[in-house]
Amino acid sequence: MTEPPRPPESVPATPAPAVPAVLVQTAQQLRDAALAGTGAFDLVRSLTTEVGPRLAGSPGDAAAVRWGAETMRALGFANVRAEPVKVPHWKRGAETGEILTPYPQAVVLSALGGSPATPVAGLEGAVLEVESLAAMEALAKEAVAGKIVFYSPKMQRANDGSGYGAVVRIRGEGVIKAAEKGAIAVLIRSVSTANNRLPHTGSARTLAGLPPIPCAALSVPDADLLQRQIASGQPLRFRLRLDTQLLPDGDSANVIGEVPGREKPDEVVLLGCHLDSWELGAGAEDDAAGCAVVLETGRRLLALKERPRRTVRVVLFANEEFGLSGARAYAEAHGAEIAKHSLAAESDLGSGRILRFSSRVRAEALPWIEGLSGLLQPLGVERRGNDARGGADLMPLAAAGVPLADLDPDATKYFDVHHSANDTLDKVDAKGLDQAVAAHLVLALLAAEAPMAFGPVDPPERSRR
Ligand SMILES: [Zn+2]
């Protein structure tokens, strides 16, 4: 398949109007006031303390929906509503793993989201280490059949989180590919940069459906242990026991609130995050932090004497983690007004300071975007290209040609805690959140006030996060 053409990146011959001085001033005031301190950390504290874990379909998820609507009302948002979303409901139970030979030891692991249960007594087999998806593809069926496949590649640390994309496909596709060749179970090295003994879960669900065989993530040190025992050259046998349950679909909701536009209320600048989380931790970094940033941004826009021209809509998406149900439900419910979405951005990479800004707008709007970028510079935000991809919850909108912006935070430490029991409030960077709010205020205000349309644009390649 050929890549869709990218919007041109050069500045067009007809310059767009410069950002008016009065707007520059408002943006600077909003930005600098946010840097001095915001309520964003308190919002993360509230969600993680009063709700905590919120896996799709669980009681915590329902409590989060109530929290989202109540919080939006308390912050002064208009048109607050919870739009219903059906979500899959999967539940974790007891989970154990042990090396039986050559050197018996118990290990620490956690089921991947969607994994079926093993037999009650557990499942036992020889372990086959596989270093990549490509290596799995190259293996003959006979080499895989009846084995427990162990995917061992390590995630690399990077401030843009790029190490995640390099290995995360193993979590979904790797399980399917192993099952296709007759594997009886899959173990993966946790997709994480941590070196503590906590496993990092994540969805093994793919477009093709739920994983057909039991699958679990080993803590990083336990993945190292398996590799060392395998390197001894002796056969490694393993016993896995997972007591998971797939329950009937549950009810959740996209929670939505607005800063109504003063001139073009039907045109929407969307700021998103996801309200659900994995249940091992409190979902503080993933993604209470992102929700706090977009909620606090909305609160500050609501406090302006003169509201922005377009509507700024804050969307707390349902079930990002286990199948993007909220993203799909939003695109369906708002199909008729997708063309009215002027710009969309999602905050879903933790509480670090924003380091980079990318856009995806039509060429005519680029001079305005450069003006916007100039206002981000004092925050230390580097201007990147016109090739933004948007967050996972924006995929349906992005595919429909909605213009996008990415404000990418420093993700150096994010994958130490992501999807693990360690994703708790103490990991959240309050100052990072304030700076992110400052950056989102500049983005939302300038997008909502732009004198030209940003789209339509060519959609990005399908992205995963
Ligand atoms: Zn997330």
Side-chain angles (χ1 to χ4, degrees):
M1 223 173 81
T2 53
E3 200 177 317
R6 294 280 168 90
E9 298 197 19
S10 59
V11 177
T14 345
V19 180
V22 60
L23 186 55
V24 167
Q25 206 179 25
T26 306
Q28 284 169 337
Q29 281 165 358
L30 280 170
R31 180 192 70 197
D32 298 344
L35 270 188
T38 75
F41 184 81
D42 270 341
L43 290 167
V44 183
R45 178 176 7 225
S46 171
L47 181 54
T48 55
T49 306
E50 295 153 31
V51 178
R54 43 201 186 276
L55 183 63
S58 70
D61 187 32
V65 168
R66 289 193 297 274
W67 178 92
E70 279 164 19
T71 300
M72 281 185 166
R73 288 196 186 97
L75 296 179
F77 280 84
N79 307 325
V80 175
R81 71 266 194 192
E83 297 185 349
V85 180
K86 275 283 175 204
V87 294
H89 187 195
W90 172 89
K91 206 173 163 188
R92 179 188 313 281
E95 37 196 20
T96 59
E98 55 189 313
I99 298 170
L100 303 173
T101 67
Y103 307 110
Q105 293 192 35
V107 299
V108 183
L109 53 70
S110 200
L112 294 177
S115 170
T118 62
V120 179
L123 161 166
E124 198 182 307
V127 170
L128 172 68
E129 182 181 352
V130 179
E131 284 165 1
S132 65
L133 280 179
M136 170 52 70
E137 275 158 22
L139 282 168
K141 257 190 170 171
E142 305 78 67
V144 178
K147 303 259 174 64
I148 297 175
V149 165
F150 163 43
Y151 287 104
S152 61
K154 292 189 167 82
M155 178 183 166
Q156 301 301 320
R157 190 181 292 278
N159 75 6
D160 63 357
S162 54
Y164 187 67
V167 285
V168 74
R169 280 172 59 218
I170 284 174
R171 214 169 53 206
E173 293 171 48
V175 178
I176 302 269
K177 283 183 198 301
E180 280 168 359
K181 292 188 174 172
I184 56 169
V186 167
L187 301 172
I188 67 168
R189 172 191 291 273
S190 284
V191 185
S192 170
T193 46
N195 64 357
N196 60 55
R197 216 171 174 190
L198 293 176
H200 298 243
T201 190
S203 179
R205 195 189 175 93
T206 64
L207 287 175
L210 292 169
I213 51 174
C215 47
L218 295 158
S219 82
V220 167
D222 285 297
D224 290 342
L225 173 66
L226 253 70
Q227 280 190 298
R228 292 199 305 275
Q229 291 208 13
I230 289 166
S232 75
Q234 303 166 81
L236 191 144
R237 286 191 67 80
F238 194 89
R239 184 183 296 135
L240 174 68
R241 188 173 158 257
L242 303 176
D243 176 20
T244 60
Q245 275 180 282
L246 190 63
L247 301 165
D249 284 355
D251 293 303
S252 187
N254 290 325
V255 183
I256 299 177
E258 292 177 345
V259 183
R262 72 170 189 276
E263 277 176 28
K264 297 182 165 211
D266 59 327
E267 294 187 16
V268 173
V269 173
L270 188 155
L271 298 182
C273 67
H274 66 86
L275 190 53
D276 66 307
S277 79
W278 286 105
E279 83 295 19
L280 294 174
E285 284 281 84
D286 187 14
D287 184 26
C291 291
V293 168
V294 295
L295 286 167
E296 180 68 18
T297 299
R299 183 214 311 243
R300 284 165 179 262
L301 293 174
L302 285 158
L304 283 174
K305 262 195 260 132
E306 189 181 64
R307 290 196 312 264
R309 285 177 68 217
R310 296 184 179 81
T311 292
V312 176
R313 178 181 292 167
V314 170
V315 182
L316 317 180
F317 284 96
N319 188 32
E320 185 269 346
E321 298 291 5
F322 194 42
L324 298 170
S325 322
R328 280 199 296 271
Y330 181 88
E332 272 165 37
H334 296 269
E337 59 157 0
I338 284 187
K340 293 280 191 184
H341 284 67
S342 305
L343 185 81
E346 181 168 21
S347 177
D348 182 20
L349 202 56
S351 61
R353 299 172 60 88
I354 304 294
L355 297 182
R356 302 179 188 91
F357 164 57
S358 325
S359 58
R360 180 176 289 269
V361 299
R362 63 209 284 242
E364 290 80 353
L366 279 171
W368 186 265
I369 293 291
E370 297 316 322
L372 190 169
S373 177
L375 285 159
L376 293 173
Q377 257 168 26
L379 298 172
V381 178
E382 182 193 343
R383 169 76 173 126
R384 287 291 177 97
N386 195 35
D387 56 355
R389 298 194 311 170
D393 290 306
L394 305 181
M395 282 198 301
L397 299 179
V402 171
L404 303 169
D406 291 340
L407 285 171
D408 293 325
D410 183 346
T412 308
K413 292 191 269 185
Y414 180 67
F415 291 98
D416 289 347
V417 303
H418 174 259
H419 294 187
S420 81
N422 252 342
D423 187 3
T424 48
L425 181 65
D426 51 298
K427 313 308 183 306
V428 173
D429 175 355
K431 284 281 166 209
L433 289 177
D434 292 341
Q435 187 261 15
V437 170
H440 280 75
L441 282 164
V442 170
L443 173 70
L445 180 69
L446 273 278
E449 291 285 352
M452 81 294 288
F454 287 163
V457 294
D458 295 316
E461 291 172 84
R462 189 169 178 277
S463 61
R464 289 185 64 142
R465 206 173 250 181

